[in-house]
């Protein structure tokens, strides 16, 4: 800082004291190699020769959750509201504390966890924990394996809170810390990197000191033009510095009626996308709702995406069948039937797709009649258009339409 910066903000005595304190942290270049210094804060690193680095053997990654979370990594559980991010964070803590498979699929190195929630009240958190334990087949984790702090006013921009966290970790170390939710744990401007970086740096120092993994639950902002699934971390609400902080993260998104999980692992190849099922049975997705029956378990399970080509072929045949049924119901009109009538028949044939997908499939099958001119005319479809009255088509050789 310039001396004028000090004199504008402090009295002269305070100015002199501040300048002297700052001067103690500075080491002149000619002294940077002697390791000397009255306060011991000397910057004297030794660069590594690239030849030595290239011949070095690194140990395998210490996975806390196989292919998902490296021990000592930091990252996010991010996504739009009401997709189950808090459930996923609590589920991760329960799996680490009990050694149960994460999402029923990924092996977990059992350890200790700390769950800090400023999102939901105690009743909801503990009800969820009880029901998730039932789904995992355990009464509860072993004593001391999972500690929970709920609605205590924990703030990342308050030094007493950070000091409490350090003291707590010295008293009872944790292998995983989940912070839920980020926007309720600071009072800064989320879009201002200058305000966010110090918060992240404080967490980074805690991670380094205690070698713990940290997952932060965070919300998404609205997608920006050009946003792709390759950079979903860029959707985190706030400064891009938040995404830059990520080493191992899970990002959630809604795809029709499903929740899709996208994994990010900086040091390794991340697992491919999965779908997340949240339900009161292992076979059904209840949309993440919690029924009045508090005794029902809550299952969180990862599912492999369906074979897109097989699903596309099946939906294409269902689209054709829905068209035929709508055409029969309308009395076999020579000018075909509109899209709305066909959509009304989709449920009857067991289809589960929208009107855009229906339109793509019918066009790919060549069942669209030539469009008539005029604003009052709409595209119509015929199961046996004039060009294919024999009922034959080349659908087997067509490229898959865009879903």
């Amino acid at each position: 800082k310039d001396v004028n910066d000090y004199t504008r903000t402090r009295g002269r005595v305070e100015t002199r004291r501040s300048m002297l304190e700052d001067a103690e942290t500075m080491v002149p270049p000619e002294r940077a190699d002697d390791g000397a210094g009255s306060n011991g804060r000397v910057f004297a690193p030794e660069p590594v020769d690239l030849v030595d680095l290239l011949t070095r053997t690194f140990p395998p990654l210490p996975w806390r959750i196989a292919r998902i979370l490296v021990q000592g990594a930091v990252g996010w559980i991010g996504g739009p509201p009401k997709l189950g991010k808090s459930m996923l964070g609590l589920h991760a803590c329960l799996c680490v504390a009990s050694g149960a498979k994460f999402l029923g699929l990924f092996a977990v190195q059992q350890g200790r966890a700390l769950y800090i929630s400023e999102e939901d009240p105690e009743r909801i958190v503990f009800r969820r924990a009880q029901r998730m334990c039932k789904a995992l087949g355990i009464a509860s984790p072993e004593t001391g394996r999972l500690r929970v702090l709920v609605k205590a006013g924990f703030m990342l921009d308050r030094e007493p809170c950070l000091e409490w966290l350090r003291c707590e970790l010295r008293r009872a170390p944790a292998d995983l810390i989940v912070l839920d939710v980020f926007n309720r744990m600071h009072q800064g401007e989320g879009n201002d990197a200058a305000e966010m970086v110090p918060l992240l740096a404080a967490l980074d120092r805690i991670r380094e000191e205690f070698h713990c993994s940290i997952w932060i639950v965070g919300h998404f902002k609205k997608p920006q033009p050009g946003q792709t699934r390759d950079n979903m971390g860029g959707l985190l609400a706030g400064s891009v510095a938040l995404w830059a902080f990520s080493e191992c993260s899970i990002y959630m998104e809604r795809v029709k009626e499903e929740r899709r999980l996208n994994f990010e692992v900086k040091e390794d190849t991340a697992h491919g996308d999965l779908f997340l099922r949240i339900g009161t049975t292992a076979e059904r997705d209840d949309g993440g709702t919690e029924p009045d029956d508090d005794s029902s378990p809550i299952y969180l399970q990862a599912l492999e995406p369906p074979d897109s080509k097989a699903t596309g072929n099946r939906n294409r045949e269902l689209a054709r069948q829905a068209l035929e049924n709508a055409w029969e119901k309308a009395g076999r009109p020579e000018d075909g039937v509109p899209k709305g009538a066909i959509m009304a028949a989709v449920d009857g044939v067991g289809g589960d797709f929208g009107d855009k997908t229906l339109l793509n499939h019918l066009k790919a099958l060549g069942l669209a009649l030539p469009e008539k001119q005029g604003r009052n005319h709409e595209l119509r479809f015929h199961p046996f258009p004039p060009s294919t009255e024999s009922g034959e088509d080349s659908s087997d050789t067509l490229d898959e339409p865009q879903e």
Side-chain angles (χ1 to χ4, degrees), residues 111 115 214 273 339 394:
Y115 180 71
I214 301 176
D273 288 0
K339 181 181 65 176
S394 56

Side-chain angles (χ1 to χ4, degrees), residues 113-376:
L114 174 61
Y115 180 71
I116 301 178
S117 173
E118 293 293 333
E119 176 80 344
D120 298 305
E122 281 189 347
R123 181 177 180 274
I124 291 180
V125 172
F126 288 107
R127 183 179 66 180
R128 283 177 180 168
Q130 290 173 340
R131 298 171 65 189
M132 288 181 184
C133 284
K134 182 176 290 189
L136 293 173
I138 59 175
S140 67
E142 299 173 15
T143 301
R145 289 281 186 181
L146 174 54
R147 303 185 309 287
V148 180
L149 183 71
V150 180
K151 289 289 187 178
F154 180 84
M155 301 290 283
L156 292 170
D157 50 6
R158 291 186 58 207
E159 183 55 35
C161 295
L162 295 174
E163 182 57 31
W164 169 85
L165 181 55
R166 287 188 285 266
C167 291
E168 180 68 12
L169 293 175
R170 294 187 190 104
R171 184 184 69 83
D175 301 294
L176 171 64
I177 301 173
V178 172
L179 303 175
D180 183 16
V181 58
F182 183 66
N183 66 339
R184 295 197 178 192
M185 292 187 173
H186 69 85
Q187 295 180 324
E189 170 52 56
N191 291 310
D192 188 345
E195 294 191 30
M196 293 298 99
V197 168
L199 306 185
L200 303 177
L203 288 177
D204 200 36
R205 288 191 293 271
I206 289 173
R207 178 266 297 265
E208 290 290 339
E209 181 178 353
F210 298 99
H211 194 58
C212 55
S213 301
I214 301 176
W215 260 343
I216 311 169
V217 178
H219 294 308
F220 272 4
K221 56 193 173 188
K222 292 183 178 179
Q224 303 298 311
Q227 192 80 42
T228 68
R229 301 196 68 258
D230 294 330
N231 58 357
M232 288 187 66
L235 288 174
L236 287 167
S239 167
V240 71
L242 304 181
W243 182 26
F245 183 65
S246 170
E247 295 173 347
C248 293
S249 293
I250 301 177
Y251 303 118
M252 305 176 69
E253 63 177 331
R254 175 73 72 181
V255 180
K256 295 182 180 178
E257 299 303 317
E258 303 285 349
R259 302 175 189 83
R260 183 156 58 190
L261 303 179
N262 175 263
F263 302 97
E264 179 181 66
V265 179
K266 184 174 290 186
E267 291 190 82
D268 199 2
T269 302
H271 194 284
D273 288 0
L274 294 171
F275 286 101
L276 172 64
R277 172 190 288 159
I278 300 178
T280 55
T281 72
E283 294 79 26
R284 186 179 71 249
D285 191 316
D286 295 326
T289 59
E290 299 183 45
D292 294 335
D293 179 11
D294 288 355
S295 63
S296 300
I298 296 180
Y299 292 87
L300 278 80
Q301 292 183 307
L303 306 174
E304 293 287 350
D307 186 321
S308 58
K309 185 174 182 180
T311 301
N313 289 338
R314 177 177 178 273
N315 286 343
R316 186 168 58 190
E317 291 308 311
L318 291 178
R320 182 205 297 273
Q321 188 176 341
L323 168 58
E324 292 182 4
N325 291 353
W327 183 65
E328 291 282 352
K329 184 177 180 179
R332 300 188 176 189
E334 292 185 4
D335 62 343
V337 290
K339 181 181 65 176
I342 306 170
M343 273 303 304
V346 167
D347 287 341
V349 298
D352 184 21
F353 44 82
D355 55 355
K356 184 177 180 180
T357 298
L358 174 71
L359 187 65
N360 287 336
H361 283 306
L362 294 177
K363 284 185 174 181
L365 288 166
L367 302 180
L369 296 175
E371 293 188 61
K372 297 181 180 180
Q373 300 299 318
R375 65 167 58 184
N376 294 324

Side-chain angles (χ1 to χ4, degrees), residues 31-173:
R31 292 179 53 195
D33 61 349
D34 62 6
S38 59
N39 54 19
R41 289 179 288 184
V42 177
F43 182 73
E46 182 66 33
V48 178
D49 191 291
L50 180 60
V51 175
D52 295 336
L53 186 62
L54 293 176
T55 58
R56 184 178 299 175
T57 301
F58 292 91
L61 288 173
W63 294 105
R64 178 57 55 181
I65 301 176
R67 297 195 63 190
I68 302 296
L69 179 64
V70 177
Q71 183 59 41
V74 294
W76 299 87
I77 297 176
K82 306 302 180 182
L83 277 191
K85 299 185 297 296
S86 295
M87 287 188 185
L88 189 58
L90 182 56
H91 174 77
C93 289
L94 286 168
C95 290
V96 168
S98 65
K101 286 188 175 182
F102 180 62
L103 298 177
L105 186 63
F106 300 99
V108 173
Q109 179 67 37
Q110 188 177 13
R112 292 177 170 80
L114 174 61
Y115 180 71
I116 301 178
S117 173
E118 293 293 333
E119 176 80 344
D120 298 305
E122 281 189 347
R123 181 177 180 274
I124 291 180
V125 172
F126 288 107
R127 183 179 66 180
R128 283 177 180 168
Q130 290 173 340
R131 298 171 65 189
M132 288 181 184
C133 284
K134 182 176 290 189
L136 293 173
I138 59 175
S140 67
E142 299 173 15
T143 301
R145 289 281 186 181
L146 174 54
R147 303 185 309 287
V148 180
L149 183 71
V150 180
K151 289 289 187 178
F154 180 84
M155 301 290 283
L156 292 170
D157 50 6
R158 291 186 58 207
E159 183 55 35
C161 295
L162 295 174
E163 182 57 31
W164 169 85
L165 181 55
R166 287 188 285 266
C167 291
E168 180 68 12
L169 293 175
R170 294 187 190 104
R171 184 184 69 83

